[in-house]
Amino acid sequence: PFQQEFVDPNDLRMTFSLAMSAMYKKEVPLYGDLIKIVQSVNDETLKKSTDPKITAMRNGDLASERLEFERHGAIRLGTPHELQTVRRIFAVIGMYPVGYYDLSPAGLPMHATCFRPTTPAALSRNPFRVFTTLLRPDLLKDAQSKDLALELLTKRNIFSPELIELLNVAERQNYRLRPIEASTFVRESMKTFGWRPIAAASKDVYRKLKDEHPILADVACFQSAHINHLTPRTLDIAAAQERMRMEGLRVKERIEGPPPRMCPVLLRQTSFLALEESTHFPGEGGLEEGCHKARFGEIEERGAAVTERGRFLYDELLNEAMRQISACPRSVDTSQKDKILFNTFARFPDDWDELRRQALVYFDYYLGASAKGATIPPSPSVEDLVARGVLAAVPITYEDFLPMSAAGIFQSNLGNDTKIIDGAATSFPDHFGFQQALGCAVADLDTVYAMAQDASLRRCALELGMAED
Ligand code: OOG
Ligand code: NI
């Protein structure tokens, strides 16, 4: 009876992501067009498709139910304090840090995690995720711009006093809020993630930081942690990309991630170019007009989560394809590059049964058509029970990101590739440093998926009377 006084964090996450979507639509009207395109492509795909990859996704994780609300956003933070506070905000809506992403190999002085729900039940309700990167001052070469950036970042406060107060209240209530607190919480949070038209730095400082590294200007010169995109999930990225082109959006040339397959794995993404927005910079004689490229559009198609073995094979094949592509003469075009990728991936099995037998993909198990009244042999293998129709399995959706795709998306939206490559002095991961900045550990991707798979098998064993609670 007590608990009913509090809002369910799953409901609050739904409200929160809807508020963010409404805000972003106002800020970036193109986002509204994008959503319409994706929704109509999804409706058509769901209706007409007998494609096993679509039916597996449809029946598998109830994608069609959560699909309408499914979004990911991305923010870029400057300091450990900002990261810790954002962690507290997301905890209130049932999102926790999963995975560590090192972006330094791509020349970005950043590392990241993804805040997202972690249990199958929470994910099926609303799988909202936010890719959250943190600046790594240790990777900045130029001492002067590093000092400038850190000075700006120490000065700024991207959280309203009401929001901080509500975070304290929530923490005393085991990360729960009452309805009236919850609506203030959503309103105040939007101030942190919304766009602020007046920069926190003068035009001069902005230019200096931008020259050093475009990401530095974006992270340090503004008064909020503006979300820089909000991505819907499409069931058919090729069709959605084609539709975007037809409607005149400037789509990025290549789709990032694995090639098209019958059994999609991980994720494929593409974006349209960043908007140039007019901004005001504080100057000696008042506000000065200027512009900044910050926000862009992106769509993604999600496939199955791969096991460590599957990921190893994926990385090996991707590296092999990249090696071949970079050895190509300059005249080689995008479709030829895509063909190389496609051919290289012939070694990655493209059949769900095969992917399961080789333990390349995580599966969610449930009782099959022949489960009722079946005689179960002593200590049966999972494969044996699947073969008898006692168990059935659908692939578990990949809920995370790919650092190389992320780097590709970053770069396509910052412009000037050469600058980016030498912007960070060196490249090495700092998993420990990130967790220290965050104030807690990030969950391990594989553990999260393996737990979901194990839980489904345990549930089946219980239902079959093979195990005790
Ligand atoms: C984050 C880019 C990463 C994705 O989908 O891989 C990302 C950023 O540009 O801040 O959102
Ligand atoms: Ni993204």
mmCIF file of all heavy atoms in Angstrom, residues 72-76 131 133 228-229 231 267 269 296 298 300 401-402 405-407 409-410, ligand 1:
data_model
loop_
_atom_site.group_PDB
_atom_site.id
_atom_site.type_symbol
_atom_site.label_atom_id
_atom_site.label_comp_id
_atom_site.label_asym_id
_atom_site.label_seq_id
_atom_site.Cartn_x
_atom_site.Cartn_y
_atom_site.Cartn_z
ATOM 1 N N HIS A 72 16.815 6.710 -28.817
ATOM 2 C CA HIS A 72 18.015 6.982 -28.018
ATOM 3 C C HIS A 72 18.465 8.410 -28.263
ATOM 4 O O HIS A 72 18.304 8.940 -29.359
ATOM 5 C CB HIS A 72 19.133 5.960 -28.262
ATOM 6 C CG HIS A 72 20.051 6.275 -29.422
ATOM 7 N ND1 HIS A 72 20.105 5.503 -30.548
ATOM 8 C CD2 HIS A 72 20.962 7.272 -29.613
ATOM 9 C CE1 HIS A 72 20.997 6.006 -31.390
ATOM 10 N NE2 HIS A 72 21.530 7.077 -30.853
ATOM 11 N N GLY A 73 19.001 9.005 -27.218
ATOM 12 C CA GLY A 73 19.534 10.347 -27.327
ATOM 13 C C GLY A 73 21.025 10.309 -27.059
ATOM 14 O O GLY A 73 21.575 9.267 -26.686
ATOM 15 N N ALA A 74 21.703 11.444 -27.265
ATOM 16 C CA ALA A 74 23.123 11.511 -26.925
ATOM 17 C C ALA A 74 23.435 12.872 -26.327
ATOM 18 O O ALA A 74 22.940 13.896 -26.800
ATOM 19 C CB ALA A 74 23.985 11.261 -28.152
ATOM 20 N N ILE A 75 24.236 12.849 -25.262
ATOM 21 C CA ILE A 75 24.689 14.095 -24.633
ATOM 22 C C ILE A 75 26.197 14.021 -24.426
ATOM 23 O O ILE A 75 26.773 12.936 -24.366
ATOM 24 C CB ILE A 75 23.993 14.346 -23.265
ATOM 25 C CG1 ILE A 75 24.151 13.129 -22.331
ATOM 26 C CG2 ILE A 75 22.522 14.682 -23.461
ATOM 27 C CD1 ILE A 75 23.634 13.370 -20.931
ATOM 28 N N ARG A 76 26.817 15.189 -24.334
ATOM 29 C CA ARG A 76 28.265 15.274 -24.135
ATOM 30 C C ARG A 76 28.528 16.130 -22.907
ATOM 31 O O ARG A 76 28.110 17.282 -22.856
ATOM 32 C CB ARG A 76 28.912 15.906 -25.367
ATOM 33 C CG ARG A 76 28.642 15.118 -26.632
ATOM 34 C CD ARG A 76 28.937 15.915 -27.881
ATOM 35 N NE ARG A 76 28.657 15.139 -29.087
ATOM 36 C CZ ARG A 76 28.644 15.649 -30.310
ATOM 37 N NH1 ARG A 76 28.893 16.938 -30.489
ATOM 38 N NH2 ARG A 76 28.384 14.890 -31.350
ATOM 39 N N PHE A 131 23.213 7.803 -24.856
ATOM 40 C CA PHE A 131 24.657 7.652 -25.009
ATOM 41 C C PHE A 131 25.299 8.889 -24.400
ATOM 42 O O PHE A 131 25.037 10.012 -24.841
ATOM 43 C CB PHE A 131 25.003 7.524 -26.501
ATOM 44 C CG PHE A 131 26.405 7.065 -26.768
ATOM 45 C CD1 PHE A 131 26.720 5.717 -26.808
ATOM 46 C CD2 PHE A 131 27.422 7.978 -26.996
ATOM 47 C CE1 PHE A 131 28.009 5.280 -27.060
ATOM 48 C CE2 PHE A 131 28.725 7.561 -27.246
ATOM 49 C CZ PHE A 131 29.018 6.200 -27.280
ATOM 50 N N THR A 133 28.674 10.878 -23.251
ATOM 51 C CA THR A 133 30.133 10.946 -23.319
ATOM 52 C C THR A 133 30.666 11.992 -22.359
ATOM 53 O O THR A 133 30.002 12.975 -22.038
ATOM 54 C CB THR A 133 30.649 11.292 -24.736
ATOM 55 O OG1 THR A 133 29.899 12.368 -25.255
ATOM 56 C CG2 THR A 133 30.555 10.131 -25.675
ATOM 57 N N ASN A 228 22.050 16.026 -28.628
ATOM 58 C CA ASN A 228 22.432 16.411 -29.985
ATOM 59 C C ASN A 228 21.727 15.590 -31.059
ATOM 60 O O ASN A 228 21.805 15.898 -32.236
ATOM 61 C CB ASN A 228 23.953 16.398 -30.159
ATOM 62 C CG ASN A 228 24.552 15.040 -29.852
ATOM 63 O OD1 ASN A 228 24.067 14.025 -30.324
ATOM 64 N ND2 ASN A 228 25.604 15.026 -29.047
ATOM 65 N N HIS A 229 21.051 14.526 -30.682
ATOM 66 C CA HIS A 229 20.118 13.855 -31.581
ATOM 67 C C HIS A 229 19.210 12.957 -30.771
ATOM 68 O O HIS A 229 19.499 12.648 -29.616
ATOM 69 C CB HIS A 229 20.837 13.060 -32.680
ATOM 70 C CG HIS A 229 21.726 11.943 -32.188
ATOM 71 N ND1 HIS A 229 22.953 12.166 -31.597
ATOM 72 C CD2 HIS A 229 21.570 10.594 -32.212
ATOM 73 C CE1 HIS A 229 23.511 11.002 -31.288
ATOM 74 N NE2 HIS A 229 22.692 10.032 -31.642
ATOM 75 N N THR A 231 17.093 9.453 -31.649
ATOM 76 C CA THR A 231 17.017 8.507 -32.760
ATOM 77 C C THR A 231 15.889 7.511 -32.613
ATOM 78 O O THR A 231 15.808 6.814 -31.601
ATOM 79 C CB THR A 231 18.365 7.748 -32.840
ATOM 80 O OG1 THR A 231 19.383 8.705 -33.072
ATOM 81 C CG2 THR A 231 18.375 6.706 -33.941
ATOM 82 N N LEU A 267 23.730 -3.380 -34.506
ATOM 83 C CA LEU A 267 22.890 -2.325 -35.048
ATOM 84 C C LEU A 267 23.505 -1.646 -36.247
ATOM 85 O O LEU A 267 24.717 -1.611 -36.407
ATOM 86 C CB LEU A 267 22.490 -1.313 -33.968
ATOM 87 C CG LEU A 267 23.364 -0.126 -33.641
ATOM 88 C CD1 LEU A 267 22.504 0.955 -33.016
ATOM 89 C CD2 LEU A 267 24.437 -0.537 -32.665
ATOM 90 N N GLN A 269 23.263 2.006 -38.449
ATOM 91 C CA GLN A 269 22.810 3.381 -38.237
ATOM 92 C C GLN A 269 23.194 4.288 -39.398
ATOM 93 O O GLN A 269 24.195 4.058 -40.069
ATOM 94 C CB GLN A 269 23.492 3.970 -37.001
ATOM 95 C CG GLN A 269 23.262 3.202 -35.732
ATOM 96 C CD GLN A 269 24.007 3.839 -34.571
ATOM 97 O OE1 GLN A 269 25.207 4.022 -34.611
ATOM 98 N NE2 GLN A 269 23.264 4.189 -33.533
ATOM 99 N N PHE A 296 21.821 16.883 -35.048
ATOM 100 C CA PHE A 296 21.652 16.169 -36.308
ATOM 101 C C PHE A 296 20.584 15.094 -36.158
ATOM 102 O O PHE A 296 20.067 14.874 -35.069
ATOM 103 C CB PHE A 296 22.991 15.568 -36.761
ATOM 104 C CG PHE A 296 23.625 14.629 -35.787
ATOM 105 C CD1 PHE A 296 23.408 13.265 -35.876
ATOM 106 C CD2 PHE A 296 24.457 15.104 -34.777
ATOM 107 C CE1 PHE A 296 24.004 12.381 -34.986
ATOM 108 C CE2 PHE A 296 25.068 14.234 -33.882
ATOM 109 C CZ PHE A 296 24.831 12.873 -33.994
ATOM 110 N N GLU A 298 19.301 11.022 -36.891
ATOM 111 C CA GLU A 298 19.883 9.687 -37.027
ATOM 112 C C GLU A 298 18.755 8.668 -36.973
ATOM 113 O O GLU A 298 17.740 8.904 -36.317
ATOM 114 C CB GLU A 298 20.865 9.448 -35.873
ATOM 115 C CG GLU A 298 21.594 8.123 -35.924
ATOM 116 C CD GLU A 298 22.357 7.833 -34.625
ATOM 117 O OE1 GLU A 298 21.725 7.864 -33.552
ATOM 118 O OE2 GLU A 298 23.559 7.570 -34.692
ATOM 119 N N GLU A 300 18.166 4.163 -36.815
ATOM 120 C CA GLU A 300 18.900 2.923 -36.582
ATOM 121 C C GLU A 300 17.995 1.715 -36.735
ATOM 122 O O GLU A 300 16.783 1.792 -36.500
ATOM 123 C CB GLU A 300 19.545 2.933 -35.196
ATOM 124 C CG GLU A 300 18.543 2.888 -34.059
ATOM 125 C CD GLU A 300 19.191 3.042 -32.696
ATOM 126 O OE1 GLU A 300 20.394 3.346 -32.628
ATOM 127 O OE2 GLU A 300 18.479 2.847 -31.702
ATOM 128 N N PHE A 401 25.392 0.111 -28.065
ATOM 129 C CA PHE A 401 25.945 0.879 -29.178
ATOM 130 C C PHE A 401 27.204 0.220 -29.706
ATOM 131 O O PHE A 401 27.703 -0.746 -29.133
ATOM 132 C CB PHE A 401 26.252 2.305 -28.710
ATOM 133 C CG PHE A 401 25.019 3.074 -28.374
ATOM 134 C CD1 PHE A 401 24.465 3.012 -27.100
ATOM 135 C CD2 PHE A 401 24.372 3.838 -29.331
ATOM 136 C CE1 PHE A 401 23.304 3.694 -26.790
ATOM 137 C CE2 PHE A 401 23.205 4.527 -29.038
ATOM 138 C CZ PHE A 401 22.687 4.456 -27.762
ATOM 139 N N LEU A 402 27.720 0.749 -30.805
ATOM 140 C CA LEU A 402 28.985 0.270 -31.351
ATOM 141 C C LEU A 402 29.944 1.448 -31.389
ATOM 142 O O LEU A 402 29.664 2.438 -32.062
ATOM 143 C CB LEU A 402 28.768 -0.266 -32.773
ATOM 144 C CG LEU A 402 27.913 -1.519 -32.882
ATOM 145 C CD1 LEU A 402 27.601 -1.819 -34.341
ATOM 146 C CD2 LEU A 402 28.621 -2.699 -32.236
ATOM 147 N N SER A 405 30.857 2.773 -34.878
ATOM 148 C CA SER A 405 29.762 3.485 -35.528
ATOM 149 C C SER A 405 29.587 4.843 -34.882
ATOM 150 O O SER A 405 29.360 5.853 -35.552
ATOM 151 C CB SER A 405 28.448 2.717 -35.390
ATOM 152 O OG SER A 405 28.547 1.448 -35.972
ATOM 153 N N ALA A 406 29.691 4.866 -33.553
ATOM 154 C CA ALA A 406 29.541 6.130 -32.835
ATOM 155 C C ALA A 406 30.585 7.124 -33.327
ATOM 156 O O ALA A 406 30.277 8.282 -33.600
ATOM 157 C CB ALA A 406 29.677 5.909 -31.331
ATOM 158 N N ALA A 407 31.819 6.645 -33.497
ATOM 159 C CA ALA A 407 32.878 7.521 -33.971
ATOM 160 C C ALA A 407 32.565 8.022 -35.376
ATOM 161 O O ALA A 407 32.765 9.192 -35.690
ATOM 162 C CB ALA A 407 34.220 6.796 -33.947
ATOM 163 N N ILE A 409 29.613 8.418 -36.679
ATOM 164 C CA ILE A 409 28.511 9.374 -36.577
ATOM 165 C C ILE A 409 29.052 10.718 -36.070
ATOM 166 O O ILE A 409 28.748 11.776 -36.615
ATOM 167 C CB ILE A 409 27.412 8.843 -35.614
ATOM 168 C CG1 ILE A 409 26.849 7.513 -36.102
ATOM 169 C CG2 ILE A 409 26.345 9.883 -35.365
ATOM 170 C CD1 ILE A 409 25.753 7.557 -37.120
ATOM 171 N N PHE A 410 29.859 10.660 -35.022
ATOM 172 C CA PHE A 410 30.507 11.859 -34.488
ATOM 173 C C PHE A 410 31.196 12.625 -35.621
ATOM 174 O O PHE A 410 30.971 13.796 -35.824
ATOM 175 C CB PHE A 410 31.635 11.452 -33.515
ATOM 176 C CG PHE A 410 31.331 11.654 -32.061
ATOM 177 C CD1 PHE A 410 31.136 10.569 -31.214
ATOM 178 C CD2 PHE A 410 31.280 12.921 -31.521
ATOM 179 C CE1 PHE A 410 30.893 10.747 -29.858
ATOM 180 C CE2 PHE A 410 31.045 13.103 -30.162
ATOM 181 C CZ PHE A 410 30.842 12.004 -29.337
HETATM 182 C C1 OOG B 1 27.253 10.405 -29.719
HETATM 183 C C2 OOG B 1 27.359 9.535 -30.907
HETATM 184 C C3 OOG B 1 27.033 8.099 -30.542
HETATM 185 C C4 OOG B 1 25.395 6.487 -31.607
HETATM 186 O O1 OOG B 1 24.249 6.280 -32.010
HETATM 187 O O2 OOG B 1 26.336 5.715 -31.843
HETATM 188 C C5 OOG B 1 25.643 7.719 -30.841
HETATM 189 C C6 OOG B 1 27.459 11.854 -29.988
HETATM 190 O O3 OOG B 1 27.577 12.276 -31.145
HETATM 191 O O4 OOG B 1 27.460 12.592 -28.993
HETATM 192 O O5 OOG B 1 24.689 8.338 -30.507
#
